[in-house]
Amino acid sequence: MISNRMKLGVEKAPHRSLLKASGLNDKEIDRPFIGVVSTFNEIVPGHTGLKDVVESVKRGVLMEGGTPLEFSTIAVCDGMAMNHVGMKFSLASRELIADSIEVMAESHAFDGLVLIPNCDKTVPAMLMAAARINIPSIIVSGGPMLAGKFKGKKIDLTTVFEGVGSVNSGNMDKNELKELENKACPSCGSCAGMFTANSMNCMTEALGLALPGNGTIPSVYSERKRLAKKTGMQIMELVKKDIRPRDILDKNTFENALTVDMALGCSTNTVLHLTAIAGEAEVDMNLEKINKVSKKTPNLCKLSPAGENHMEDLYEAGGIMAVMNELRKKDLLHLEQITVSNKKIGSLIKNKEKIDDSVIASIEKPHSKTGGISILMGNLAPNGAVVKKSAVAKEMLKSKGKAKVFNSEEEAVEAILSEKIEKGDVIVIRYEGPKGGPGMREMLTPTSVLAGMGLDEDVSLITDGRFSGGTRGAAIGHISPEACEGGPIAIVENGDIIEIDMINGILNLNISDQCFNERMKNLKIKKRNVKGYLGKYSKMVSSADKGAICR
């Protein structure tokens, strides 16, 4: 056992004394130590219910003869952090979470880890930590929130964000917005659509690091507790057989995850996070590979914000195993990959048929023949940009428009709310990348306000920042290199024509080569004087196309 280095032998008597000070007896000390790490707190709705998950996990560990030892780490609610300085800390928190788990696991010689995240950066952070530390590990999340209901229709948090734009344009009054506010988030859990949190929780199944159902079982269902208990039991088998994350996470596993990602139409943030996780697992993954998978994978699901369905609907339709079984019918998956179930993925998905075609489309009649996410390249994004193509209106897949340039999200939102944006414009928001922000803020507010004002099918938005999984419309993010590193997005001027072609993967600034080169030569990069954690982060973080990882 790994924990023997901390508790075995005469020389470890002081260590055992400290363990006994924590209340452990000799029998508990002799058993495998299982770290149970959660992101419980009392402010993030996806995490307020994690105590029940933790207790269920601990019961499972005890049933199989382990000693569960609980510790915690931080979590940021992206929804609450949106559109103010708090959002600069969201992506940056991913590194803190991964680092803190590494520190605890290495310092206390755990034999295995059960990782309990739920929202946004906590899931990729824990996956990164598992790959980095590489001791037996398994994920069980808190589960998705139920959708709300308003005037007979299902709603979620993005409905409220879009309601702000509707009020501003006179299409909704403040009383209706208040009703939306009260009804959109009816339970704890990760917000109900295929946003970043749920996208990444679905990826835990596709990567083979969570048991089936982890991505879709609603947070308030008792089945979530039973899954947690089973997860606690399963970590003991992983410890006994010494099955580690890097035994599971190889090139084919990540290709499976990308394939499921494209079929589901997940958040663009999965590109950022899967790249970072692959980096920790020492598996090569780049935007070119992601695009290759997208081109051969049909889009089978249109969950909010791309459609009317929510996570509870995907759960009832068969969940991730049913989606993967549908992909199997076209030989799009590597079926021999091992999982934390200690079963091959082909065995897990066998006969897991979807309920009908309304939530998970037939592989024979997909929503589109290519994946939900596309990578764009061009003189505006030499190293790539990312768009959730499945959430873009068909008429916006190819467009040209005049640039309206802003050097921060706040400036852009003010212009949108002041009705300074016209149909056909391309909003450019720069200096919001990993280094330049710093922190690469999500920009759900500008895209939601545009949607609420009825402009999401007429206006494009491009940025070196990123978007929430709740964003819909022609929103192109992750433009690399970013402005603060001298990327071409820094030379765009008001009135320039920008060409967007999501079908052929093109993002170009339509000016002459001579003009382009002259602007690049004379470029003066805007610098921000940032201190504290963000100052440290901006010095360490890589570009978005490399996963915005710290090295």
Side-chain angles (χ1 to χ4, degrees):
M1 290 190 294
I2 297 170
S3 57
N4 282 345
R5 72 187 188 207
M6 188 177 70
K7 65 188 184 185
L8 192 64
V10 174
E11 67 277 13
K12 295 300 189 293
H15 303 65
R16 293 192 294 273
S17 182
L18 289 169
L19 289 168
K20 289 175 180 179
S22 295
L24 298 184
N25 61 31
D26 286 326
K27 189 172 183 179
E28 289 173 306
I29 292 171
D30 287 342
R31 291 173 173 174
F33 283 0
I34 306 300
V36 180
V37 51
S38 85
T39 49
F40 166 79
N41 60 55
E42 293 184 335
I43 188 167
V44 182
H47 299 240
T48 55
L50 290 185
K51 280 188 175 181
D52 287 342
V53 178
V54 169
E55 289 306 311
S56 296
V57 165
K58 288 160 72 173
R59 289 187 184 188
V61 172
L62 289 168
M63 281 193 287
E64 294 299 317
T67 297
L69 297 164
E70 181 185 347
F71 65 97
S72 60
T73 185
I74 63 171
V76 171
C77 176
D78 281 25
M80 293 184 203
M82 201 72 66
N83 194 229
H84 62 87
V85 70
M87 181 47 72
K88 292 178 182 287
F89 289 88
S90 174
L91 181 60
S93 75
R94 188 186 70 179
E95 313 307 309
L96 281 176
I97 295 164
D99 290 351
S100 67
I101 295 169
E102 178 189 13
V103 168
M104 288 295 289
E106 296 290 4
S107 299
H108 302 105
F110 290 114
D111 296 296
L113 289 173
V114 180
L115 302 154
I116 308 172
N118 210 31
C119 292
D120 291 290
K121 310 309 163 290
T122 65
V123 186
M126 288 192 171
L127 288 165
M128 289 166 67
R132 184 191 304 172
I133 303 164
N134 201 35
I135 62 174
S137 302
I138 189 170
I139 303 271
V140 59
S141 306
M145 183 184 292
L146 296 175
K149 289 186 178 179
F150 179 71
K151 295 183 177 180
K153 291 185 177 182
K154 286 186 176 181
I155 59 172
D156 54 48
L157 183 65
T158 59
T159 319
V160 188
F161 271 98
E162 292 178 6
V164 174
S166 296
V167 169
N168 190 75
S169 62
N171 294 322
M172 179 182 287
D173 63 38
K174 290 183 180 179
N175 290 330
E176 288 179 298
L177 182 62
K178 186 68 174 181
E179 190 174 353
L180 274 181
E181 175 187 325
N182 290 336
K183 293 182 175 180
C185 301
S187 73
C188 66
S190 48
C191 293
M194 188 56 81
F195 313 144
T196 303
N198 291 324
S199 294
M200 288 308 304
N201 279 324
C202 291
M203 290 299 98
T204 64
E205 291 190 53
L207 287 167
L209 287 183
L211 298 178
N214 185 58
T216 58
I217 298 170
S219 62
V220 294
Y221 284 17
S222 296
E223 188 180 353
R224 175 62 56 178
K225 294 180 184 178
R226 297 197 298 272
L227 178 71
K229 199 174 294 183
K230 187 176 180 181
T231 299
M233 297 167 70
Q234 188 63 21
I235 188 61
M236 296 306 297
E237 181 175 353
L238 296 175
V239 169
K240 181 180 179 181
K241 296 184 177 178
D242 196 28
I243 299 173
R244 304 185 180 217
R246 292 197 199 181
D247 297 328
I248 296 169
L249 297 175
D250 62 15
K251 176 183 174 182
N252 289 341
T253 297
F254 279 99
E255 190 168 323
N256 279 351
L258 286 171
T259 301
V260 175
D261 187 351
M262 300 305 166
L264 289 171
C266 289
S267 164
T268 53
N269 288 311
T270 55
V271 172
L272 201 68
H273 298 320
L274 287 174
T275 303
I277 297 160
E280 296 288 0
E282 299 183 2
V283 174
D284 180 53
M285 194 169 81
N286 53 48
L287 296 187
E288 184 179 343
K289 186 173 293 184
I290 293 168
N291 221 19
K292 184 178 179 181
V293 173
S294 180
K295 287 179 179 178
K296 70 176 184 178
T297 306
N299 178 219
L300 302 180
C301 300
K302 279 190 174 292
L303 277 70
S304 175
E308 299 298 320
N309 293 316
H310 290 80
M311 294 304 297
E312 62 204 69
D313 302 306
L314 181 58
Y315 163 74
E316 291 168 3
I320 305 308
M321 295 296 104
V323 173
M324 295 182 79
N325 185 52
E326 203 65 21
L327 292 167
R328 176 195 60 80
K329 296 173 183 178
K330 290 288 186 180
D331 297 321
L332 291 171
L333 296 174
H334 301 282
L335 301 178
E336 297 300 307
Q337 299 307 109
I338 195 68
T339 70
V340 289
S341 300
N342 200 22
K343 296 178 181 178
K344 293 178 180 179
I345 197 68
S347 173
L348 289 179
I349 67 175
K350 187 178 181 180
N351 300 322
K352 299 293 183 182
E353 295 292 339
K354 59 188 176 61
I355 300 304
D356 56 43
D357 293 344
S358 62
V359 180
I360 305 170
S362 165
I363 195 76
E364 302 296 339
K365 294 181 179 180
H367 295 294
S368 69
K369 293 181 180 180
T370 56
I373 295 174
S374 289
I375 307 299
L376 309 184
M377 298 276 188
N379 67 0
L380 249 182
N383 295 342
V386 183
V387 64
K388 186 170 181 174
K389 191 176 68 173
S390 60
V392 179
K394 289 183 179 179
E395 52 267 34
M396 294 298 290
L397 293 174
K398 293 181 74 171
S399 65
K400 290 183 181 180
K402 289 184 179 180
K404 286 195 175 174
V405 184
F406 306 94
N407 289 327
S408 71
E409 178 188 4
E410 287 86 354
E411 293 175 29
V413 171
E414 183 182 356
I416 296 168
L417 291 174
S418 300
E419 299 184 351
K420 294 177 182 178
I421 303 301
E422 301 173 352
K423 290 184 177 182
D425 283 345
V426 178
I427 299 171
V428 179
I429 305 177
R430 60 193 180 195
Y431 293 102
E432 291 286 7
K435 288 181 179 291
M440 202 182 183
R441 287 193 285 184
E442 283 185 352
M443 300 189 198
L444 181 57
T445 297
T447 57
S448 296
V449 172
L450 285 171
M453 295 173 72
L455 291 172
D456 57 304
E457 296 185 5
D458 299 288
V459 172
S460 301
L461 195 159
I462 69 172
T463 181
D464 54 6
R466 61 194 178 94
F467 295 107
S468 164
T471 288
R472 62 185 173 97
I476 300 164
H478 303 201
I479 289 178
S480 300
E482 60 178 289
C484 94
E485 291 197 300
I489 190 172
I491 67 169
V492 181
E493 297 180 1
N494 286 318
D496 285 345
I497 300 298
I498 293 175
E499 176 192 4
I500 300 169
D501 184 346
M502 300 180 201
I503 297 171
N504 296 302
I506 296 169
L507 180 61
N508 278 332
L509 175 61
N510 285 359
I511 59 176
S512 69
D513 290 345
Q514 181 180 353
C515 182
F516 186 96
N517 294 333
E518 190 68 22
R519 288 189 193 179
M520 289 296 290
K521 180 180 177 181
N522 296 323
L523 174 61
K524 292 182 180 179
I525 296 172
K526 298 180 184 296
K527 297 289 186 182
R528 290 191 172 117
N529 183 23
V530 184
K531 298 180 180 179
Y533 176 60
L534 289 179
K536 299 174 188 176
Y537 179 81
S538 65
K539 292 181 176 69
M540 296 185 293
V541 70
S542 74
S543 63
D545 62 297
K546 303 296 184 185
I549 56 175
C550 290
R551 282 289 184 263

